[in-house]
Amino acid sequence: MFQKRALITGITGQDGAYLAKFLIEKGYKVTGTYRRSSTRNFWRLHYLDVKKDISLLPVDLLDQTSIMHALREVEPDEVYNLAAQSFVGDSFAEPQATAEITGIGSLRVLDSIRFLNPNIRFYQASTSEMYGNANQTGQSENTPFHPASPYANAKLFAHWNVVNYRKAYNLFATTGILFNHESPIRGIDFVTKKITDGVARIKLGMSEKLLLGNLEAKRDWGFAGDYVKAMWMMMQQSVADDYVIATGETHSVREFCEAAFSRVGLDYTKYVEVDKKFLRPHDVVFLKGDPSKAKRILGWDPSETSFISLVNMMVDADMEKYQNPERQMKQFLKHI
Ligand code: NAP
Ligand code: G4F
């Protein structure tokens, strides 16, 4: 039986792990790329129990040879380009590295596909950060972009290259303009995970305070497991296009804190403090997506996981992590 082959760059990240799980369940042969480093970073693949079902290849988006090698080795039908320096805060400290990895890195993958096999379908992980602060009512595919960080600039560069390559070279190159999506395996630097981890630590007496930056920033937060399904749906269309993927709801960081602390019966105002160290030189203050096009054309349902169930899922997972560390360790050791 014909088995589709997918190559996922950045499989060690949050979305890479969820997408791998989703594609394996769809019957794909999945290969993922990881960065060579002195310590292995496969914990998310173990957490979702997919490490045993995938192949791995070392690729750095800074190195076109490694990208071309992976494409030749795997001969994929679909490439999902998820790899990036994805932390907005760090992009102010490392703007050039962010531009190289997140911006030019995507172009390296696109060019490699163009030269090696233009029939490969390509997905680019675009982002709501590209909208910046210009529109504060809600953002769709038609909203103009006003990026407000080196990360958003790099992503916008990558985004427009995909749109232009689609037209110039007739590639099936699609972009998902994804709004923030979270999960129990979200990186600890991002505000949701920092909050839910902090809640568990405070509840269990391991910490006394949680220091955060801008509490009034608003985000449209969804569940990563729902969002990777949208990536795949975009790749199954007859024509490549750009789609906003969002819940259509927005909540402030303060509201996230309130919900997360109340999950364990605590009042956030007693524990959360603002530390200037976590304020950004330029912050995006309001994001709220309009996913009507994805709903209409892809049939994607934005409301599979509500805001409160997302917060509860993340708090519960962090409580479990600290209360039952042996269980997590056993799961991990089973696979190494
Ligand atoms: P993530 O957890 O930060 O994962 C990023 C992945 O990129 C990791 O596997 C990382 O490898 C890899 N990577 C970093 N630099 C690399 C390089 N030079 N060469 C090769 N790989 C490299 O991000 P995510 O949340 O899963 O997001 C996936 C993608 O969607 C990213 O492009 C992100 O910018 C974009 N996005 C995310 C969201 C969101 O809310 N999560 C929203 C919109 C768009 P290591 O594990 O070695 O660091
Ligand atoms: O969780 P964040 O760091 O996510 P941000 O900047 O929205 O970026 C994430 O979502 C994007 C999609 O819109 C992705 F493209 C990107 O790769 C990444 O996944 O911050 C969210 C908000 C910001 O306004 C930030 O200023 O939370 C505010 N915040 C307040 N205190 C904090 C903190 N953010 C972090 N990371 N840490 C804090 O202590």
Side-chain angles (χ1 to χ4, degrees):
M1 205 187 81
F2 175 71
Q3 188 182 29
K4 273 197 184 174
R5 289 184 295 268
L7 179 67
I8 303 173
T9 70
I11 202 167
T12 56
Q14 170 189 256
D15 291 7
Y18 275 106
L19 180 62
K21 186 173 168 62
F22 179 84
L23 293 178
I24 287 161
E25 284 165 8
K26 285 266 168 216
Y28 279 66
K29 178 167 172 32
V30 174
T31 304
T33 76
Y34 69 98
R35 277 193 292 184
R36 280 201 192 282
S37 61
S38 48
T39 47
R40 291 287 185 249
N41 182 22
F42 300 143
W43 67 272
R44 292 186 175 93
L45 299 168
H46 291 302
Y47 186 94
L48 295 184
D49 203 19
V50 292
K51 170 82 168 43
K52 61 188 186 321
D53 300 318
I54 60 165
S55 304
L56 288 162
L57 282 174
V59 167
D60 198 313
L61 287 199
L62 297 172
D63 185 314
Q64 184 139 13
T65 306
S66 68
I67 298 167
M68 293 182 87
H69 173 75
L71 288 171
R72 289 179 88 147
E73 181 94 4
V74 175
E75 297 185 339
D77 301 291
E78 297 171 6
V79 170
Y80 295 84
N81 183 39
L82 307 186
Q85 190 301 93
S86 77
F87 186 40
V88 176
D90 274 0
S91 78
F92 288 97
E94 297 184 358
Q96 291 166 34
T98 304
E100 274 289 347
I101 299 167
T102 305
I104 298 178
S106 165
L107 184 56
R108 290 189 185 100
V109 182
L110 258 184
D111 263 332
S112 304
I113 288 176
R114 177 161 79 96
F115 289 122
L116 289 177
N117 178 3
N119 293 321
I120 294 171
R121 293 187 167 213
F122 176 82
Y123 171 86
Q124 168 63 18
S126 288
T127 167
S128 48
E129 282 293 309
M130 300 187 308
Y131 293 118
N133 283 316
N135 181 305
Q136 301 205 5
T137 52
Q139 296 98 11
S140 74
E141 294 80 3
N142 301 320
T143 306
F145 298 122
H146 287 84
S149 66
Y151 166 79
N153 289 338
K155 279 288 185 184
L156 193 52
F157 172 83
H159 179 84
W160 281 123
N161 278 320
V162 176
V163 174
N164 287 326
Y165 270 47
R166 185 192 302 156
K167 292 182 179 142
Y169 305 115
N170 203 23
L171 297 183
F172 187 101
T174 189
T175 72
I177 305 172
L178 270 57
F179 283 62
N180 299 52
H181 45 280
E182 320 293 314
S183 73
I185 55 170
R186 182 62 144 149
I188 188 75
D189 283 328
F190 300 97
V191 77
T192 54
K193 184 68 175 172
K194 183 172 166 186
I195 294 168
T196 59
D197 180 80
V199 163
R201 293 174 64 85
I202 289 169
K203 178 70 182 174
L204 299 171
M206 298 158 68
S207 191
E208 288 175 359
K209 292 278 172 213
L210 177 60
L211 304 179
L212 297 172
N214 183 3
L215 299 183
E216 310 316 327
K218 290 189 145 188
R219 289 292 183 275
D220 180 329
W221 278 298
F223 171 51
D226 297 338
Y227 283 41
V228 297
K229 183 174 172 193
M231 296 175 188
W232 174 78
M233 287 172 144
M234 285 174 219
M235 294 283 259
Q236 312 314 309
Q237 300 303 302
S238 50
V239 180
D241 207 341
D242 312 303
Y243 296 92
V244 160
I245 301 299
T247 69
E249 263 186 48
T250 190
H251 297 273
S252 64
V253 173
R254 186 183 293 284
E255 286 169 328
F256 196 104
C257 289
E258 191 174 6
F261 277 89
S262 71
R263 176 68 173 172
V264 294
L266 297 177
D267 172 1
Y268 83 99
T269 59
K270 299 202 167 84
Y271 305 98
V272 172
E273 286 177 9
V274 172
D275 183 330
K276 282 200 287 204
K277 179 164 84 185
F278 297 111
L279 296 173
R280 292 177 182 170
H282 190 183
D283 201 11
V284 173
V285 293
F286 180 93
L287 289 175
K288 176 171 174 256
D290 172 1
S292 319
K293 180 178 170 184
K295 205 171 178 177
R296 195 177 68 252
I297 298 178
L298 306 178
W300 180 75
D301 183 1
S303 59
E304 281 181 20
T305 311
S306 70
F307 173 71
I308 284 297
S309 43
L310 174 66
V311 174
N312 291 348
M313 179 202 310
M314 292 178 71
V315 172
D316 294 352
D318 282 324
M319 288 293 287
E320 163 81 13
K321 173 179 80 184
Y322 289 118
Q323 284 175 315
N324 278 317
E326 308 81 20
R327 216 169 102 187
Q328 294 232 340
M329 185 53 78
K330 266 190 215 140
Q331 171 77 356
F332 178 69
L333 290 173
K334 215 165 74 184
H335 295 291
I336 54 172

